[in-house]
Amino acid sequence: MSTTFFGVSFDAADAARTARFWAAVLDREVADGADEHDAVVEVGDPAGGPRLAFHQVPEAKSVKNRFHPDLITGDYEGESERLLALGATKLHEVVHGGARWTTFADVEGNEFDLIAG
């Protein structure tokens, strides 16, 4: 018997809006049937990471995420600007030894990191 990591689900105020943001970030498609209640970002190439699902919940985000995605890019400055143009908010930047990353918030305030790679 084995278990496979199928996907990640996120709570959202507007599932379709949040799915569109993440689809643009990851160059993926939002599955047909997306609405403010439920939306899925398709995987496409399985090497591209897990399926992302978004589900509307009544309460707003109120604290830091307990889980957040880490993205890595070879074009750190360019990708940072692209994320901002898509609606992300820059929260803080860290340079530690040879590592560099920025913590952003998505369109609903969920934190994620962009790592220079």
Side-chain angles (χ1 to χ4, degrees):
M1 184 176 275
S2 68
T3 301
T4 301
F5 186 48
F6 175 68
V8 179
S9 294
F10 294 89
D11 291 346
D14 184 332
R17 177 177 179 246
T18 309
R20 285 191 303 272
F21 171 83
W22 281 101
V25 167
L26 300 171
D27 194 27
R28 294 185 184 181
E29 299 292 325
V30 176
D32 291 340
D35 61 26
E36 69 274 11
H37 302 289
D38 296 289
V40 171
V41 174
E42 297 289 359
V43 175
D45 176 6
R51 171 186 182 268
L52 304 177
F54 300 88
H55 307 287
Q56 188 179 62
V57 296
E59 66 277 354
K61 181 182 180 300
S62 61
V63 297
K64 185 179 183 298
N65 301 9
R66 300 279 301 199
F67 169 86
H68 70 260
D70 286 341
L71 311 176
I72 193 165
T73 183
D75 180 10
Y76 185 76
E77 298 300 332
E79 190 62 10
S80 293
E81 292 301 318
R82 188 178 81 86
L83 293 171
L84 292 169
L86 290 172
T89 303
K90 184 177 179 178
L91 299 179
H92 66 274
E93 187 169 352
V94 176
V95 178
H96 182 69
R100 179 180 180 196
W101 69 91
T102 299
T103 301
F104 289 93
D106 72 8
V107 293
E108 290 210 353
N110 301 300
E111 296 90 359
F112 66 97
D113 290 337
L114 179 67
I115 302 166

